[in-house]
Amino acid sequence: MKPFVRDTLMRQRARLHELDALLAAPDVVDNMERFRALSREHAEVGAIVAVFNRYLQREADRAAAEDLLRDPEMVEMAEDEIASARTELEQLDAELQQLLVPKDPDDERNAFVEIRAGTGGDESALFASDLARLYTRYADTQGWKTEIVSESPSELGGYKEVVLRIAGHGVYGQLRFESGGHRVQRVPVTETQGRIHTSAATVAVMPEPDETEAIKLNPSELRIDTYRASGAGGQHINKTDSAVRVTHLPTGITAECQDGRSQHSNKAKALQVLTARLQEKDRSERAAKEAATRKGLVGTGDRSDRIRTYNFPQGRLTDHRINLTLYKLLQVMEGDLGDVIHALQVARGTELLAELEQRNSL
């Protein structure tokens, strides 16, 4: 274990004792808001310290086993215990490093996932549809709920653009690294000569804004248009002008919704997506400024970043940001995205811990 990590964990242990004392103090018990805040911190710190205590116990077990190596009759048992302790210590070390990664408050939020077809014509639109299906299936495995906020279908059944709302615990924290350019290499259904084509789609993942913290939209800066929805929406949706498009005039950013059964609900969802896009614009601009001095390992999430290639002839998925290659492409396309997400989270966590260590050493 790195000295910086051990020192940080020792401070966490000391903080847990402080929190125990604070939560027993009469003035804290009488202040419900402070009591709840300290209780949340106690739960978070307590979870970290519990793992650290297990780590320290296994360190002690390993040291005791090493002492037994001096006894010829105990060598075999001692070696088994040392190997077992070493394996568990490595696992606990990795877990503790992830637990120490600074939390982004947006990670717990629901998310809007916007997928747009790029270069490649109809094949790109079909790939955009495949990505939408991939995220929907992954959401199902996590117990999340998915709904289509807006869609622009293509002639062959794909999407020129589709926006999904995915709701559940920690959605944005898991899907945030999907933002960027996705490239596919395969033989399109429209290809008669069996040639492999390359096409692309872009993904933008945006946290659903908290109504109490979201930027306020000035009604005078909005243009709201209604129109008749297209695509699969049932008979009702084709009979009324219930679809809504909202344009933010200062930036030209638009959002639309046609999934609901009323103008009112569609307008509310469109305004939510518009707010998310405006906040994402601010976030992207800040990230671009930071990238001028430091390029993050997993990128800025900008659409122009080519993050991943899906090579169907080889059954290979490659994430270019962390040099991850998996030969399980068909499983991934069916929603088995866990290995990719975990690898990206670990890479980002390692990067953030390195930054913290560097700041603490100054």
Side-chain angles (χ1 to χ4, degrees):
M1 178 179 286
K2 294 180 179 179
F4 164 73
V5 173
R6 188 181 293 272
D7 290 345
T8 303
L9 289 166
M10 293 301 291
R11 288 196 294 272
Q12 293 283 308
R13 288 183 94 196
R15 177 58 179 167
L16 188 61
H17 290 305
E18 290 178 8
L19 290 168
D20 286 334
L22 285 169
L23 287 169
D27 60 323
V28 171
V29 175
D30 293 338
N31 185 335
M32 189 52 63
E33 186 175 343
R34 190 178 181 213
F35 182 79
R36 279 197 292 263
L38 289 172
S39 295
R40 284 195 297 271
E41 185 184 355
H42 188 278
E44 293 172 2
V45 175
I48 295 172
V49 171
V51 179
F52 184 42
N53 286 339
R54 174 64 180 170
Y55 183 92
L56 294 175
Q57 179 59 54
R58 294 304 280 152
E59 271 192 332
D61 293 343
R62 183 181 62 184
E66 287 170 348
D67 287 341
L68 289 176
L69 289 174
R70 301 189 188 97
D71 185 341
E73 296 182 359
M74 304 294 287
V75 168
E76 186 176 349
M77 186 183 75
E79 288 177 342
D80 288 343
E81 175 61 19
I82 290 169
S84 173
R86 184 181 296 118
T87 299
E88 189 173 352
L89 284 168
E90 290 175 358
Q91 295 170 346
L92 291 168
D93 188 9
E95 183 179 351
L96 285 165
Q97 290 193 50
Q98 286 302 301
L99 287 170
L100 289 179
V101 173
K103 303 293 187 294
D104 185 331
D106 284 341
D107 282 352
E108 296 304 314
R109 297 196 190 284
N110 302 331
F112 292 109
V113 180
E114 175 189 287
I115 306 167
R116 290 184 185 176
T119 56
D122 287 332
E123 167 62 6
S124 175
L126 290 171
F127 179 49
S129 177
D130 290 340
L131 290 175
R133 181 174 178 272
L134 160 60
Y135 297 132
T136 300
R137 293 219 164 188
Y138 179 70
D140 290 342
T141 68
Q142 303 302 302
W144 300 337
K145 294 182 179 179
T146 305
E147 61 178 312
I148 294 177
V149 176
S150 67
E151 58 183 330
S152 177
S154 69
E155 293 179 2
L156 292 182
Y159 288 121
K160 298 174 185 175
E161 177 179 336
V162 60
V163 179
L164 308 175
R165 177 181 180 267
I166 303 180
H169 177 69
V171 175
Y172 181 69
Q174 290 202 47
L175 295 182
R176 61 186 299 166
F177 300 121
E178 293 303 298
S179 290
H182 295 243
R183 184 177 67 169
V184 63
Q185 295 171 325
R186 63 184 177 188
V187 179
V189 293
T190 55
E191 170 59 55
T192 59
Q193 303 297 319
R195 293 172 298 187
I196 296 171
H197 289 229
T198 297
S199 56
T202 60
V203 175
V205 180
M206 303 165 286
E208 184 177 70
D210 185 324
E211 291 183 3
T212 61
E213 300 174 6
I215 58 176
K216 303 302 179 185
L217 298 174
N218 185 344
S220 66
E221 296 179 343
L222 302 177
R223 187 180 72 238
I224 299 175
D225 302 304
T226 59
Y227 61 98
R228 185 158 296 180
S230 61
Q235 291 181 342
H236 171 87
I237 206 166
N238 291 318
K239 289 180 180 177
T240 63
D241 292 338
S242 59
V244 174
R245 180 183 296 110
V246 183
T247 303
H248 184 245
L249 298 174
T251 61
I253 293 175
T254 65
E256 57 190 54
C257 180
Q258 58 185 351
D259 189 57
R261 287 185 170 271
S262 72
Q263 270 190 28
H264 179 75
S265 64
N266 282 334
K267 178 182 174 183
K269 286 183 180 179
L271 286 170
Q272 237 186 350
V273 175
L274 179 65
T275 301
R277 284 178 173 166
L278 288 169
Q279 292 189 168
E280 180 64 14
K281 177 177 179 291
D282 290 343
R283 187 207 64 78
S284 297
E285 288 173 352
R286 290 196 304 272
K289 289 179 181 177
E290 292 174 6
T293 55
R294 178 188 58 82
K295 177 65 173 175
L297 178 65
V298 293
T300 63
D302 189 88
R303 289 181 189 276
S304 62
D305 289 344
R306 192 192 76 188
I307 64 168
R308 194 174 298 154
T309 295
Y310 304 73
N311 186 305
F312 277 79
Q314 297 180 15
R316 170 172 55 82
L317 177 144
T318 302
D319 195 292
H320 305 290
R321 296 165 294 182
I322 55 174
N323 294 321
L324 172 71
T325 297
L326 297 175
Y327 286 91
K328 50 181 285 186
L329 180 56
L330 295 182
Q331 294 97 308
V332 170
M333 299 308 294
E334 290 297 319
D336 186 5
L337 197 58
D339 290 344
V340 182
I341 288 174
H342 178 69
L344 287 162
Q345 289 176 326
V346 169
R348 180 59 172 158
T350 302
E351 183 180 48
L352 289 174
L353 275 180
E355 291 175 10
L356 274 177
E357 184 175 4
Q358 186 175 19
R359 284 202 298 268
N360 278 270
S361 66
L362 294 177

